[in-house]
Amino acid sequence: MLAITALVASLAAQRAMAQAPAAAAAASASEGDARADRTRDQKDLTQTQQVVVTGNARREGILKKEAGYSITTADAEQIKDAAPTNTADLLKIVPGVFVETTGGQAGANIRVRGFPEAGDSPYATIQMNGSPIYAAPSLSFIEGSSLFRIEDTIDRVEVLRGGTSPIYGSGQPGVSVNFVQRKGTDTPEGDVRLTAGSAGTGDLRRVDGYYAGKLADKWYLTIGGFYKTSYGQRDTQFASDRGGQLSGNLTHKLDDGGELQIYARSMNVSAPWYTDIPVSVSADGRSVSAYPGINPRTFTYFDSETRFATIETSPSAPGGQPGTKTIDFTKGRGPTLTTLGFVLDEKIGGWALNSKTSYTSGDAPSDGLVNGGTPVTLGSYIASQVTAANGDPAVVAAAGRVATGGTASLVSTGGALTDMTQAVIQIEPWAVSKHLQSFTEEAHVSKEIVKANTLTLGVYFSDYSATDLWYLGNQELVTLESRPRLVNVALDNGVKASLNGMTSSAFNFDDKSSWTGRNVALYVADEWKPLDALRLDVGIRRENQRLDGTLENTSTGDLDGNPLTIYDNKLAYFNGSNTTYHEAATRNSWTLGANYDFSRQYSLFVRANSGVHFPMFDDVRSGTGGSPGFADIEKISQYEVGFNAVTSLYTAYLSLYTNRLKNSQEQAFQVGAGSTSFPSSSQSTGIEFETTMRPVRNFDISFSGDFARGKYVNSGPLTGNRVARMPGTEFRLTPSWRIPTDLGTFRVFGTYTRTAHRYSDAQNQQFLPGYGTLDLGATASLENGVDLRLSVTNVTNTLGLTEGNPRVAGGGVGSGNVAMARPLFERAIQVSAGYSF
């Protein structure tokens, strides 16, 4: 502490010496220069007064420049300018966060500062008004952004990376994304907006609107939402991306300057789940191109013929038929959720009380067609079924002879397929249903104990559950062409290799389970300002977690009792017995930081923290700690130095960080292996930057991104490899030109994004080339309240890959240099017309 005090005194003296010549020069400035200086100072003041409420316990929030941690903010207008395709896509504006949103409206992968993960975004927590939507950051097939949709009742978003987040809220050590709702004021306001778009088939139709205003004395209301319909960003041939949301916020102003908020949100949407498709790779694996016959920017396994899939789920009674389930992919990964909450902020004696409560309940399915492997010719597929049938003595005995060949036909027409060079591929109809419930409560009290020293005492409680029913591993055979068609195969000895396209399973992984979790945490934080320019803060949190689960066991067998139908000879089914799980643990987290203001324009902060990531239900089930029913607890240590500058000419937020993560719980569902896990540890170092230059009036240019290196450490054969799917460099360059006129204000802007190469797998065998994309936009905000917008994403139709094939180990390249990967969507145009008042 003495060393810090001495450093502060030295910096203060240097600041005084530096300001003396400037003061003398200002005294001799002309009157015109003085007016210009005052104008510039007013702009500076506006910038420095940007207040954030995430990551701190202050009743009034804290100035972003003085926060002492890395936080990115965007208001409602900036959110619209970013033109996010879904909630996770908005995080592309956040340095140090890499998002993969090519799976559609839901199911994104959000990667944070080099933390290794296989998917489901465990290091990102989505909040509304400071409370998590779901208490656990992620579960298998669920990540937080899937449970949230952006619309016009959102006032702003605050995205906290590391910093103080291991102490407050759910204790997320990665990234906390807090969406703050609009609050009504004495002056009514609102808008209505219609949007049309060209993505997929060009049939996107969406209506948004909100109203905010005074309801009664000290009571204010905000209400709004959206409804949309579309055939998807890749044309599914059915209305797969549709639904809406209604949100409301009731605010009551208290006499002590505090307030009570009561909010509610109801969502019912559908969203197609797009998975990896075939692409051609060069001989050296460093470049990609379209696979013959399909367009990688628009191709999907979904169409009117594959919209439904019927799978067998239980053995037949003697002389009967197996139990079945028909999957309708219309819902896809579309949640039906209700969220209720309230926020109370008031003074009790000399203490400031803040209480945030949230409850979420509903269903979140994940039904989709998942790639099972690389494509093959029809002839080679039939040959593989001949080999499989002849290798099973029970099948040969039932048939009376071995098979020597087979035939194929289309399911839709029964017509024969005779071209043995026709490319075919096996895809897996996955059905995952989840019923979720989550209750969270965070309350803290703060008081200035002595002058310039504020103490905060807090408690966090969460109770959450998930009831799951999964059917994974079934397969169906389709032709690989612009519109896939289901194929049946029969062998020449009477063996049936498929039924309505359904073939033998790739692996058996069915799940019928129910889980409950409960977390209780206590925390203490203290903030001290020994000098006006210096703020120190420290916090410690102690948290206990308990998880309990019941899983119904499975057996494998011939579900119809007929050896000649080899498509169901080795399928899983629930057998009525159960396995129970229990895990409990207690861990500590802490943070320590300092922020020093050199002047109104410049500040410097340092931050250290140590947080934990508790295992979730799926980690315990899979035994990622090395034994069944046990999962390790991840420990994450982070150190950061940041510099902030806010002037009329430029704004800059820079951060240098290093972190270390131990016992990462990575899981993957791989063909032929089911669920696999590989605990690992990692270390990452990087520089993050958010800068905006304003060289001339009405023109600015923003440059943001990060340079990072993440690698596995103490992870056996993975040691030294780069962390999977994390680019070493990512940046965004956005020029914007504002044109004020008597009619209104016009703006044109564009964003060039560059993403460096990376590896899709931890073994660093699946190479993903770097790529660049260009987005353009224009707006017209007219004086009569009319608002017009145009956005064009991926203008150049870049073929960029966001992931390889997570369901195979190794290089993932099949014969003919074909690999499975998930490309960017094609160029899309959206136009909207709205009216604001």
Side-chain angles (χ1 to χ4, degrees), residues 277-288:
I277 65 171
V279 294
S280 295
V281 298
S282 60
D284 62 3
R286 298 284 156 160
S287 61
V288 297

Side-chain angles (χ1 to χ4, degrees), residues 269-315:
V269 295
S270 63
W273 177 16
Y274 303 112
T275 60
D276 304 330
I277 65 171
V279 294
S280 295
V281 298
S282 60
D284 62 3
R286 298 284 156 160
S287 61
V288 297
S289 58
Y291 183 83
I294 65 173
N295 183 343
R297 301 170 184 84
T298 61
F299 175 78
T300 174
Y301 302 117
F302 294 113
D303 59 26
S304 56
E305 185 169 333
T306 61
R307 172 179 169 177
F308 299 94
T310 299
I311 60 175
E312 295 183 5
T313 59
S314 60

